[in-house]
């Protein structure tokens, strides 16, 4: 029997006449890796922003681990256990990799130096811990982005394109790390355009189209669903999702 | 061969710039030199050194909010002026010694900065700059019409033995004020160093400056941290304002609340290097000396303004990270050439 960790009910976000998220009701189970896909402009990043307090939803609620976190400030949601990364992995400048990690607001009871070292070792970037973070490669920046989130020891992490722009070898390593974290109990929701990446890692996929949550299922179910093809192609006549 | 040696020296120098023990040694040596300096200088040059110290401290205080937190505060000078007037009011109206005036000015400005910071720090970029500038103008106009500040007549400070409130100091003389400024400035530099370069608090401030959303998503309460930086930096400006006012004994809103006070702090931090410890020190000394020496040798107190304008243009165009950036090797000869080429193309000179 699975238990829902993160749940939205009728989540709606409007920008003037545009409804970016239209009554999205969606639940992510504890320990799951959920993919979130949809054509450009379907409202995926807006959904992440509404979940993590960067946007205040116009309607609907967000519940995390039984607590209603709708409208909470983003730093409070992060401390509550919902971490996130951004599409563009930008380290904080003029700081070393380690200082980037130490900037994270951890609970007072945590030895942040020890935790930072552990995470850097886990992600295999401890050898550059005291180097200037702005000199990292694109892939290393993505790893640092993940590392910073892990400092919060979150139960749930929302990842916005974790392997975009990363060389295939490093992308595989990132996926391995995600699997290992998932084995340890971390729940993930991942926005990803690369379907090859997605099918390797996700348990289930949710599809957004024009702000609405249209389908949810396993990768195979979703990739053969007519509504999904229509969302991507505009008609249901073609064979597969073009990604 | 020669080039290799040059490189090694340069590399060593740059490595030294980044070392903690080198920073502490530099600070220690600097403090000793400053402590004995008045014995080697004439009264005239001691006065110049005193002024330079004050401006280093003020530029560093602006650098906290403007450089480290990235909030362009165009109203910082208001706290310098308010600090001066509150110190004066405490000394004149309440007849308390200078030390009490300075402490009360610090507390008053902490509360004022908190109250001003709550609405203004929600703004960003040009809007924050405009709001703080307007605040400073309002404070100046207020000081000009209030009775307690002396209005357009200004305010004269009590002088003479016993007014300082510091034991063993009789009549506060040049030396007293030199060492007062030295302590305030060294204190400000040490505070900035430990707070912004060596604590998690400082890392969080820089995180907010670079990517506020990412910082928030990492549990950092950006509003609270920005407010703290703003309050700390404003209190420091207030302390310098109070100390300077007691030193010059007469203050007027048009002087201690003049916009040029803020402008100079910004220019000094910018020229030296924003968001660094060394930047405001280098910028403070350079600009203050340029100011004093131009009036000394050119007999003109305004010529340094266009000179500063020129310096700022050159800095922004060729070395955006300031003198510190050049010392760190961030701006090399090739970069300058590149910038010049781009500029020439832009204006169709080539």
């Amino acid at each position: 029997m699975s238990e829902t960790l993160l749940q939205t009910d009728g989540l709606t976000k409007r920008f003037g006449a545009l409804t970016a998220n239209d009554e999205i009701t969606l639940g992510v189970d504890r320990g799951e890796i959920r993919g979130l896909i949809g054509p450009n402009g379907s409202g995926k990043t807006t959904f992440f922003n509404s979940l993590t307090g960067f946007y205040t939803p116009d309607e609907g609620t967000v519940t995390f681990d039984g607590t209603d976190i709708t409208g909470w400030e983003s730093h409070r949601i992060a401390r509550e256990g919902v971490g996130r990364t951004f599409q563009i992995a930008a380290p904080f400048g003029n700081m070393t990799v380690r200082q980037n990690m130490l900037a994270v607001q951890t609970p007072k009871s945590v030895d942040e130096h020890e935790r930072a070292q552990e995470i850097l070792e886990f992600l295999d970037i401890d050898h550059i811990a005291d180097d200037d973070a702005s000199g990292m490669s694109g892939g290393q920046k993505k790893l640092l982005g993940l590392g910073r989130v892990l400092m919060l020891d979150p139960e749930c992490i929302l990842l916005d394109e974790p392997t975009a722009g990363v060389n295939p070898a490093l992308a595989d390593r990132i996926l391995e790390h995600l699997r290992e974290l998932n084995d340890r109990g971390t729940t993930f929701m991942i926005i990803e355009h690369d379907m090859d990446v997605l099918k390797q890692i996700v348990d289930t996929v949710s599809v957004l189209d024009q702000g609405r949550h249209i389908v949810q299922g396993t990768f195979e179910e979703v990739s053969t669903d007519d509504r999904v093809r229509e969302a991507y192609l505009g008609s249901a006549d073609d064979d597969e999702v073009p990604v | 061969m020669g080039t290799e040696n040059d490189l090694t020296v340069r590399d060593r120098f740059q490595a030294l710039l980044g070392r903690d023990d080198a920073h502490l040694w530099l600070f220690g040596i600097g403090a000793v030199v400053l402590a004995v300096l008045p014995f080697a200088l004439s009264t005239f040059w001691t006065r110049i050194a005193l002024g330079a110290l004050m401006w280093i401290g003020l530029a560093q205080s602006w650098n906290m909010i403007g450089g480290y937190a990235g909030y362009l505060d165009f109203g910082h000078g208001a706290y310098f002026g308010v600090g001066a007037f509150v110190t004066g009011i405490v000394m004149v109206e309440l007849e308390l010694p200078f030390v009490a005036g300075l402490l009360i000015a610090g507390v008053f400005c902490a509360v004022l900065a908190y109250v001003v910071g709550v609405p203004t720090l929600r703004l960003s970029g040009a809007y924050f700059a405009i709001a703080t500038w307007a605040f400073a103008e309002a404070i100046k106009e207020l000081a000009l019409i209030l009775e307690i500040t002396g209005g357009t007549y200004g305010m004269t400070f009590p002088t003479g033995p016993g007014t300082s409130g510091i034991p063993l100091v009789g009549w506060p003389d040049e030396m007293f004020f030199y060492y007062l400024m030295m302590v305030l400035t060294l204190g400000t530099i040490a505070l900035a160093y430990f707070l912004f370069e060596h604590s998690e608090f400082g890392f969080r401030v820089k995180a907010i400056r670079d990517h506020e959303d990412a910082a928030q998503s990492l549990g950092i309460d950006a509003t609270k941290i920005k407010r703290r930086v703003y309050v700390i930096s404003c209190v420091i400006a207030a302390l310098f304002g109070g100390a300077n006012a007691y030193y010059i004994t007469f203050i007027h809103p048009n002087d201690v609340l003049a916009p040029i006070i803020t402008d100079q702090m910004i220019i000094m931090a910018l020229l030296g290097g924003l968001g660094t410890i060394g930047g405001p020190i280098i910028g403070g000394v350079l600009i203050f000396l340029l100011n004093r020496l131009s009036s000394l040798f050119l007999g003109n107190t305004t010529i340094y303004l266009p000179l500063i304008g020129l310096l700022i243009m050159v800095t922004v165009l060729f070395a955006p990270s300031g003198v510190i950036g050049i010392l760190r090797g961030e701006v090399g000869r090739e970069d300058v050439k590149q910038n010049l080429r781009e500029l020439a193309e832009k204006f169709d000179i080539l």
Side-chain angles (χ1 to χ4, degrees), chain B residues 84-310:
Chain B
F85 276 107
V86 172
T87 307
I89 290 165
V90 170
M91 289 180 75
V92 174
E93 304 289 331
L94 305 178
E95 295 178 9
L96 289 172
F98 162 71
V99 172
L102 200 62
L103 287 177
I104 293 170
V107 173
F108 182 87
C109 282
V111 175
L112 182 65
Y114 186 90
V115 172
V116 172
V118 168
T120 56
L121 288 166
R122 289 180 188 279
L123 306 169
S124 60
Y127 298 100
F128 177 76
I130 293 166
T132 48
W133 170 79
F135 158 73
E137 282 300 303
I139 290 284
K140 187 178 136 196
E141 294 305 318
L142 195 67
L144 279 168
I145 56 166
L146 284 180
E147 205 174 312
I148 198 162
T149 56
T152 51
Y153 296 105
M155 180 184 261
T156 306
F157 276 59
T159 52
T163 54
S164 73
I166 299 171
L168 304 177
V169 175
W171 193 284
D173 58 1
E174 207 76 36
M175 284 293 202
F176 166 78
F177 287 107
Y178 176 85
Y179 287 110
L180 177 65
M181 287 299 177
M182 189 187 89
V183 168
L184 282 177
T185 301
L186 290 179
T188 303
I189 293 170
L191 181 73
Y193 181 74
F194 287 110
L195 208 55
F196 294 99
E197 298 290 347
H198 283 83
S199 78
E200 277 82 31
F201 177 81
F203 304 152
R204 282 167 202 146
V205 173
K206 290 188 210 170
I208 294 167
R209 174 192 65 194
D210 290 345
H211 199 330
E212 190 162 335
D213 282 350
Q216 294 256 42
S217 77
L218 296 171
I220 299 171
D221 187 345
T223 315
K224 199 157 116 186
I225 288 191
K226 283 186 293 190
R227 210 159 48 213
R228 282 185 189 164
V229 176
Y230 186 62
V231 169
I232 292 169
S233 69
C234 293
V235 167
I236 293 170
L239 295 180
F240 278 104
N244 177 64
Y246 185 43
Y247 171 51
I248 59 176
T249 71
F250 173 77
I251 54 171
H252 191 281
N254 284 343
D255 296 329
V256 294
L257 285 163
I260 187 72
I261 304 238
T262 308
D263 298 345
Q264 282 206 156
M265 294 185 217
I266 299 173
I267 290 163
M268 286 165 173
L270 189 66
L271 178 74
L274 286 179
T276 62
I277 296 295
I281 301 175
I282 294 170
V285 171
L286 284 180
I287 301 278
F288 187 75
L289 284 185
L290 185 71
N291 177 343
R292 293 290 90 191
L293 296 183
S294 67
S295 67
L296 187 65
F297 293 114
L298 304 173
N300 185 323
T301 53
T302 50
I303 189 87
Y304 95 102
L305 289 171
L307 285 177
I308 283 180
L310 198 67

Side-chain angles (χ1 to χ4, degrees), chain A residues 77-234:
Chain A
I77 293 179
R79 290 180 196 179
E80 189 71 13
V82 186
R84 75 168 288 187
T85 63
F86 292 80
Q87 214 166 346
I88 296 160
F92 304 131
N94 290 327
M95 280 198 268
T96 65
V97 173
R98 192 188 304 280
Q99 289 172 342
N100 261 267
M101 301 284 284
L102 295 174
V104 179
Q105 187 85 50
T106 48
K108 284 204 169 61
S109 56
V110 172
D111 181 341
E112 42 202 350
H113 290 268
E114 199 181 298
R115 184 180 281 184
Q117 183 60 31
E118 278 171 16
I119 294 169
L120 290 172
E121 281 170 18
F122 168 69
L123 296 173
D124 294 326
I125 47 173
D126 53 314
H127 60 289
I128 51 165
D130 297 311
D131 291 357
D132 190 355
S134 54
M136 300 172 98
S137 73
Q140 287 173 330
K141 285 178 183 172
K142 290 269 185 190
L143 283 173
L144 175 60
L146 180 63
R148 287 193 314 212
V149 173
L150 293 177
M151 285 294 286
L152 290 165
D153 195 19
E155 276 184 86
C156 178
I157 303 178
L158 313 182
L159 300 169
D160 201 342
E161 301 197 33
T163 63
V166 177
N167 73 62
L170 197 50
D172 283 343
R173 253 177 61 197
I174 293 176
L175 294 183
E176 265 173 47
H177 290 312
L178 297 184
R179 267 189 221 104
E180 197 174 333
L181 289 165
N182 182 244
D183 288 341
R184 294 189 206 166
T186 312
T187 306
F188 287 96
M189 177 143 57
I190 304 176
I191 295 179
E192 183 58 69
H193 284 291
D194 188 336
M195 294 301 147
D196 290 331
V197 167
L198 210 59
K199 73 179 171 199
Q200 287 180 53
I201 191 162
V202 294
D203 299 310
T204 49
V205 178
S206 289
V207 187
L208 299 189
D209 181 37
Q210 294 176 22
R212 283 188 302 273
H213 182 208
I214 54 168
V215 186
Q216 181 177 321
T218 63
F219 185 83
E220 285 69 30
E221 285 165 3
V222 164
S223 57
T224 53
D225 192 289
D226 287 345
R227 286 166 297 181
V228 178
R229 289 184 197 176
E230 200 178 318
Y232 275 93
L233 296 171

